[in-house]
C-alpha cells in the first residue's frame, strides 16, 4: 500500500539515486512507497530488485549466454623500486557473460565485470601451490560481498550473485559468471636483492579494464643488483613496456604454453611482434636482459605462467 505523503523532492530523489544508481522513476516510486524515508526506501528498493531479479533470472535461465567481457584487476603488480622486500602480487581475471553484444557494452554490465574482478583480487587469500595463477571457486565468489571498484559507498550492499541477479532485472538478459582466476603471492623470502616477481596483463578490444580477449602473466626478474636497477625510472619504464608487449603477444597469438612445444603455440618460439617479428620472444627477452646489464650470472626476464581467455570460448 502506498503512502499519501507528498511528492518526493528532487533532492531526496538525487540522494537515493546516488546511493543506488536506480532510474529516477524507480527512486520516486520507492520514496513514495515509504513516506519519503530514505532508509526505508533503500530497503524497499532492495526487496523490489530481489523479487524482480529472481523472476527474470528464472525466465532467462535456459538461454545461451556467449557474449560478454573479460575483466582484469591488478591491485599490486609485484617488485618495484618501492617494494624492497620482493613485492606482492595481487590480481584477478574474470569472464562475465550475457546474451548480446549490446548488453556487453552497457555501462552497468561493464561496471559489474570490473567490480567482480576487483572483488576477486581483493578477497582471494594466498595458498601454497606450485602454480601462481589459481582458479577461484565460483560458489564462494558468488556468495562474497561485491566490492565496488568505482563507488565504495554504493548501497544497498549485495553479494556477487545478488548483484548479477539485480543486473538481470535491469537488462532482461541472462548474465552469468563463467570463470575467475587470481594471483596472490607474498614477497619472496631470501631473494630481496636479486629476484622479484612481476605481473603483466593485456585486454584486446578493450575499453579500460575490459576486453573480448584477455591475458594475465607472471614474470620473474633476476639480477645480482636488482635493487639498483629498479631505482632507475628508465629501467622501470622499459620493463613495463616489455611486460605489456609480452602480454599483448600472448593475447594476439594462439599461445598454449611458455616453452613446452617446438611450434609457435609456445610463446618463446613465436616471432616477437614488438620487435617487428625479426626475432623470437625467447631471443628478445634474452637480448633485453643483456642490453640492460642484468643477464650476467643467470639474470634476466622470464615468463613463468600465463592464462589467456576469449569471450564465449569452450572451457577445457
Amino acid at each position: 500500500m502506498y503512502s499519501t505523503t507528498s511528492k518526493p523532492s528532487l533532492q531526496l530523489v538525487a540522494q537515493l539515486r546516488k546511493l543506488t544508481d536506480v532510474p529516477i522513476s524507480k527512486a520516486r516510486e520507492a520514496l513514495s512507497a515509504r513516506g519519503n524515508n530514505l532508509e526505508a526506501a533503500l530497503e524497499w528498493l532492495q526487496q523490489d530488485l530481489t523479487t524482480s531479479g529472481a523472476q527474470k533470472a528464472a525466465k532467462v535461465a535456459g538461454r545461451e549466454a556467449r557474449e560478454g567481457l573479460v575483466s582484469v584487476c591488478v591491485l599490486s603488480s609485484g617488485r618495484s623500486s618501492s617494494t624492497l622486500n620482493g613485492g606482492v602480487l595481487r590480481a584477478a581475471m574474470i569472464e562475465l557473460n550475457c546474451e548480446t553484444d549490446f548488453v556487453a557494452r552497457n555501462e552497468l554490465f561493464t561496471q559489474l565485470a570490473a567490480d567482480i574482478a576487483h572483488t576477486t583480487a581483493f578477497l582471494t587469500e594466498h595458498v601454497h601451490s606450485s602454480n601462481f595463477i589459481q582458479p577461484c571457486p565460483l560458489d564462494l565468489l558468488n556468495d562474497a560481498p561485491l566490492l565496488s571498484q568505482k563507488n565504495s559507498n554504493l548501497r544497498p550492499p549485495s553479494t556477487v550473485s545478488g548483484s548479477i541477479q539485480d543486473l538481470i532485472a535491469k537488462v532482461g538478459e541472462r548474465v552469468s559468471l563463467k570463470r575467475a582466476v587470481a594471483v596472490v603471492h607474498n614477497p619472496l623470502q631470501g631473494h630481496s636483492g636479486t629476484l622479484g616477481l612481476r605481473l603483466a596483463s593485456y585486454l584486446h578490444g578493450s575499453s579500460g579494464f575490459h576486453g573480448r580477449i584477455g591475458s594475465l602473466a607472471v614474470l620473474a626478474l633476476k639480477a645480482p643488483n636488482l635493487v639498483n636497477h629498479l631505482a632507475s625510472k628508465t629501467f622501470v619504464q622499459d620493463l613495463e613496456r616489455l611486460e605489456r608487449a609480452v602480454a599483448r603477444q600472448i593475447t594476439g597469438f594462439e599461445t598454449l604454453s611458455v616453452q613446452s612445444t617446438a611450434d609457435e603455440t609456445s610463446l618463446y618460439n613465436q616471432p616477437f611482434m614488438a620487435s617487428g617479428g625479426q626475432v623470437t620472444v625467447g631471443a628478445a627477452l634474452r637480448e633485453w636482459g643483456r642490453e640492460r646489464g642484468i643477464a650476467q650470472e643467470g639474470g634476466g626476464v622470464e615468463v613463468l605462467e600465463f592464462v589467456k581467455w576469449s569471450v564465449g570460448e569452450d572451457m577445457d
Side-chain angles (χ1 to χ4, degrees), residues 5-19 27-28 31-32 35-39 41:
T5 307
S6 61
K7 183 180 179 181
S9 67
L10 290 176
Q11 184 179 7
L12 264 180
V13 171
Q15 232 178 319
L16 185 57
R17 291 193 71 223
K18 186 177 180 180
L19 292 170
R28 284 176 175 162
L31 287 165
S32 297
N36 290 333
N37 183 297
L38 192 63
E39 291 297 322

Side-chain angles (χ1 to χ4, degrees), residues 72 74 77 198-211 213-219 235-253 267 270 272-275 281 285 288 301 303:
V72 171
V74 178
S77 61
R198 298 276 300 184
L199 275 172
S201 63
Y202 185 81
L203 291 159
H204 176 71
S206 65
S207 174
F209 304 101
H210 323 288
I213 308 173
S215 66
L216 187 63
V218 179
L219 290 77
F235 180 88
V236 173
Q237 289 175 340
D238 286 349
L239 177 61
E240 289 172 347
R241 280 192 288 268
L242 177 69
E243 291 166 347
R244 180 174 172 81
V246 168
R248 185 175 183 177
Q249 177 85 25
I250 293 168
T251 303
F253 277 67
L267 174 65
Q270 295 171 1
F272 194 31
M273 300 315 296
S275 298
V281 173
L285 292 178
W288 190 93
V301 182
V303 180

Side-chain angles (χ1 to χ4, degrees), residues 26-310:
K26 185 61 72 173
R28 284 176 175 162
E29 184 181 0
L31 287 165
S32 297
R34 290 296 179 263
N36 290 333
N37 183 297
L38 192 63
E39 291 297 322
L42 283 168
E43 293 177 5
W44 185 94
L45 280 172
Q46 184 57 43
Q47 292 170 359
D48 181 71
L49 266 178
T50 299
T51 301
S52 59
Q55 291 172 345
K56 288 188 178 179
K59 288 182 180 178
V60 302
R63 296 182 187 172
E64 185 176 54
R66 297 183 71 90
E67 293 295 329
L69 291 170
V70 173
S71 187
V72 171
C73 175
V74 178
L75 296 179
S76 179
S77 61
R79 187 72 186 271
S80 68
S81 59
S82 60
T83 54
L84 301 181
N85 58 2
V88 173
L89 301 182
R90 183 170 284 277
M93 185 163 78
I94 66 101
E95 181 182 350
L96 188 67
N97 292 137
C98 57
E99 297 176 45
T100 65
D101 181 59
F102 177 77
V103 166
R105 290 183 279 110
N106 181 289
E107 185 179 353
L108 293 174
F109 186 90
T110 59
Q111 187 58 53
L112 180 57
D115 288 345
I116 295 174
H118 179 76
T119 300
T120 307
F122 192 88
L123 294 181
T124 300
E125 297 181 355
H126 172 65
V127 295
H128 294 284
S129 171
S130 58
N131 296 320
F132 291 98
I133 303 173
Q134 294 290 322
C136 299
L138 294 187
D139 55 344
L140 297 180
L141 185 53
N142 276 312
D143 289 340
L146 184 73
L147 305 178
S148 177
Q149 185 184 52
K150 181 180 179 182
N151 185 359
S152 59
N153 297 317
L154 191 65
R155 294 182 63 189
S158 180
T159 62
V160 169
S161 61
S163 298
I164 291 174
Q165 190 166 276
D166 292 347
L167 181 60
I168 292 172
K170 294 173 181 176
V171 301
E173 285 192 10
R174 182 187 172 200
V175 177
S176 63
L177 179 60
K178 182 176 181 178
R179 49 187 168 177
V181 295
V183 181
V184 178
H185 201 279
N186 294 326
L188 295 171
Q189 301 298 318
H191 301 281
S192 60
T194 62
L195 183 63
L197 298 174
R198 298 276 300 184
L199 275 172
S201 63
Y202 185 81
L203 291 159
H204 176 71
S206 65
S207 174
F209 304 101
H210 323 288
R212 289 192 58 81
I213 308 173
S215 66
L216 187 63
V218 179
L219 290 77
L221 183 64
K222 185 178 181 181
N225 54 348
L226 184 57
V227 174
N228 294 335
H229 286 291
L230 289 172
S232 165
K233 184 178 179 180
T234 300
F235 180 88
V236 173
Q237 289 175 340
D238 286 349
L239 177 61
E240 289 172 347
R241 280 192 288 268
L242 177 69
E243 291 166 347
R244 180 174 172 81
V246 168
R248 185 175 183 177
Q249 177 85 25
I250 293 168
T251 303
F253 277 67
E254 186 185 0
T255 313
L256 303 180
S257 67
V258 176
Q259 52 181 339
S260 63
T261 62
D263 59 23
E264 289 187 2
T265 62
S266 171
L267 174 65
Y268 277 24
N269 291 334
Q270 295 171 1
F272 194 31
M273 300 315 296
S275 298
Q278 300 301 309
V279 296
T280 64
V281 173
L285 292 178
R286 291 190 293 271
E287 181 61 24
W288 190 93
R290 282 194 296 270
E291 289 178 351
R292 286 153 186 82
I294 64 171
Q296 66 269 35
E297 300 180 28
V301 182
E302 182 180 350
V303 180
L304 302 179
E305 288 180 27
F306 72 85
V307 61
K308 171 192 171 183
W309 294 343
S310 296

